[in-house]
């Protein structure tokens, strides 16, 4: 029984699932949590008067390392004077800078870069308020999403096993 392949059939590409995702959730995630921050997340935090570091601790009850990728800094710089507060926050010394991953070296479209980093490493929480980016991240198994809700941060898809007391919906 060897089946012949029809000419029109294309080969399906299946992304390999990391072994840390054994039980549907990601065992590679644990404190200190690394959180990739999107441009609009900083802006929403300013609007809601939330301190980034403190808000994350309140949400996850654990040490968090905010990570800013180069594309987000570039995006904030492009937005100009109106967003200089956000830029100053993003350049905070306590935040970790992530270089753009190979393949999107010169990309200034932060969403693509963030999706790429999250897909390659799966050890980050992605912080965003962007509907489309959330939708794209949800397609990657094992990557939790942090967002602003009711003037505080909350997180989705981070299992009970790893969360202290993030508000659930």
């Amino acid at each position: 029984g060897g089946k012949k392949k029809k000419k029109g059939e294309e080969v399906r590409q299946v992304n390999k699932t990391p072994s840390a995702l054994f039980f549907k959730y990601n065992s590679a995630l644990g404190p200190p949590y690394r959180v990739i921050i999107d441009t609009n997340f900083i802006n929403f935090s300013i609007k809601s008067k939330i301190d980034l570091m403190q808000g994350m601790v309140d949400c996850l009850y654990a040490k968090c390392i905010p990570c800013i990728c180069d594309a987000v800094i570039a995006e904030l710089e492009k937005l100009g004077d109106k967003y200089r507060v956000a830029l100053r926050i993003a350049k905070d010394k306590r935040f970790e800078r992530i270089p753009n991953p190979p393949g999107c070296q010169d990309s200034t479209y932060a969403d693509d870069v963030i999706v790429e980093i999250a897909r390659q490493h799966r050890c980050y929480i992605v912080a965003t308020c962007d509907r489309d980016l959330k939708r794209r991240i949800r397609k990657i198994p094992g990557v939790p999403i942090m967002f602003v809700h009711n003037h505080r941060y909350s997180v989705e898809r981070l299992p009970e096993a790893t969360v202290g007391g993030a508000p659930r919906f």
Side-chain angles (χ1 to χ4, degrees):
K3 282 197 308 198
K4 282 207 182 86
K5 209 188 239 174
K6 287 191 205 91
K7 212 175 200 159
E9 264 181 60
E10 64 267 348
V11 181
R12 265 177 61 225
Q13 195 208 348
V14 180
N15 289 328
K16 270 211 339 257
T17 307
S19 58
L21 287 173
F22 185 59
F23 297 114
K24 249 305 162 261
Y25 62 76
N26 196 343
S27 57
L29 274 170
Y33 294 105
R34 305 174 102 78
V35 187
I36 300 184
I37 296 170
D38 185 22
T39 318
N40 59 27
F41 190 77
I42 301 176
N43 295 335
F44 271 94
S45 301
I46 294 168
K47 217 177 274 174
S48 307
K49 298 187 172 68
I50 307 172
D51 175 48
L52 266 168
M53 292 296 252
Q54 194 50 49
M56 285 176 187
V57 171
D58 292 345
C59 174
L60 295 171
Y61 294 136
K63 182 174 160 49
C64 297
I65 306 169
C67 304
I68 303 266
C69 61
D70 293 347
V72 168
I73 298 276
E75 219 166 71
L76 282 167
E77 280 168 352
K78 228 170 27 196
L79 286 169
D81 240 12
K82 199 168 152 207
Y83 292 96
R84 63 171 182 272
V85 179
L87 186 61
R88 197 174 307 136
I89 289 174
K91 286 184 168 167
D92 192 320
K93 288 276 174 277
R94 298 171 299 178
F95 294 7
E96 199 175 287
R97 284 292 291 276
I98 310 176
N100 288 358
C104 14
Q105 230 81 51
D106 47 353
S107 176
T108 49
Y109 184 53
D111 290 15
D112 292 345
V113 176
I114 289 171
V115 168
E116 204 40 56
I117 294 171
R119 219 198 27 250
Q120 283 171 13
H121 301 300
R122 312 272 175 115
C123 60
Y124 293 108
I125 296 172
V126 176
T128 182
C129 300
D130 182 324
R131 247 211 229 93
D132 297 324
L133 182 56
K134 271 193 199 168
R135 214 168 280 141
R136 285 170 68 181
I137 297 291
R138 281 188 194 114
K139 290 189 181 123
I140 311 172
V143 180
I145 303 170
M146 186 183 274
F147 52 96
V148 178
H149 182 262
N150 287 346
H151 297 289
R152 54 185 297 194
Y153 296 156
S154 48
V155 77
E156 68 171 61
R157 290 175 57 190
L158 194 62
E160 288 75 7
T162 51
V163 162
R168 298 241 166 273
F169 301 119

